[in-house]
Amino acid sequence: MKNQEYFAHETAVIDEPCVIGTGTKIWHFSHIMSNCSLGENCNIGQNVVISPQVNLGNNVKVQNNVSIYTGVNCEDDVFLGPSMVFTNVINPRSAVNRKSEYMKTTVKKGASIGANATIVCGNDIGEFAFIGAGAVVVKEVKPYALVVGNPSKQIGWISEYGHRLRFDEKGLATCPESHEKYLLKNDLVHKIN
């Protein structure tokens, strides 16, 4: 698959058919398997495997040593930290074929997953959520949630720019970098401007 609209290092393996967006970069020893789709301006680090039927949105950053298995989909602007892990079978056994049982996991727009975190399959990650390094996610993560630990627990809320949000008595907070405002209501966060 020769295409001047994206870059692939000479050691990368790209199986056909697949879709790779304009401006995407695929680095050393990475394997893009058939029937997957990578959006525009993605960066696929060294030693990454992207399995069949995986879809990555635009501007997805996949750091070194990440495997994205069938059943996982990432929306635009997702960050996958070095050596983080996805699973796609809830009860794997070497002697039992469970390819028909792959569970789906969606990482929503703008979410970040820290280095060495594990996402147990079937647990979606909300928009702009932030998963701390080494966390083990065993349940769904709300939009703008900050989660850490094993098993992970929510310890706060985070802005689209990646800053902790401190809510006042009216449930309002302002990002210190972007100055965007957020509302906390009914245990959910919404950007209000």
Side-chain angles (χ1 to χ4, degrees):
M1 177 180 278
K2 301 295 178 197
N3 182 334
Q4 298 302 316
E5 295 181 353
Y6 68 86
F7 167 81
H9 189 269
E10 63 185 20
T11 61
V13 175
I14 300 172
D15 298 338
E16 295 187 40
C18 63
V19 175
I20 301 174
T22 301
T24 288
K25 295 178 179 158
I26 302 164
W27 292 100
H28 307 69
F29 313 114
S30 289
H31 186 183
I32 311 304
M33 299 176 100
S34 61
N35 299 310
C36 65
S37 176
L38 284 61
E40 296 181 357
N41 300 311
C42 293
N43 191 53
I44 309 302
Q46 180 175 301
N47 196 38
V48 169
V49 174
I50 301 178
S51 295
Q53 283 90 49
V54 166
N55 293 303
L56 302 184
N58 296 322
N59 197 43
V60 173
K61 307 297 187 224
V62 182
Q63 301 301 298
N64 297 347
N65 306 310
V66 173
S67 296
I68 308 173
Y69 297 116
T70 301
V72 175
N73 290 296
C74 298
E75 295 182 354
D76 294 347
D77 304 320
V78 164
F79 177 88
L80 303 178
S83 302
M84 64 78 50
V85 175
F86 288 106
T87 69
N88 64 356
V89 173
I90 200 70
N91 57 342
R93 293 291 196 198
S94 179
V96 180
N97 185 329
R98 293 209 161 103
K99 289 183 179 179
S100 65
E101 299 177 27
Y102 290 160
M103 296 182 74
K104 298 206 178 299
T105 301
T106 300
V107 183
K108 300 282 191 163
K109 177 180 174 61
S112 293
I113 301 175
N116 295 304
T118 299
I119 310 302
V120 175
C121 56
N123 296 298
D124 293 341
I125 309 300
E127 292 88 349
F128 301 101
F130 197 100
I131 311 303
V136 178
V137 174
V138 296
K139 62 183 180 179
E140 189 162 325
V141 176
K142 295 177 183 179
Y144 299 100
L146 171 61
V147 301
V148 299
N150 179 9
S152 67
K153 65 178 183 175
Q154 184 176 343
I155 61 166
W157 303 97
I158 199 155
S159 74
E160 292 182 13
Y161 276 65
H163 296 281
R164 290 284 297 262
L165 292 171
R166 313 257 183 233
F167 290 93
D168 65 17
E169 65 282 350
K170 295 179 184 175
L172 297 172
T174 302
C175 173
E177 184 175 355
S178 70
H179 305 292
E180 294 170 326
K181 298 191 182 314
Y182 295 84
L183 175 65
L184 174 60
K185 186 174 182 181
N186 298 324
D187 204 31
L188 290 172
V189 168
H190 303 279
K191 189 167 77 167
I192 56 176
N193 66 334

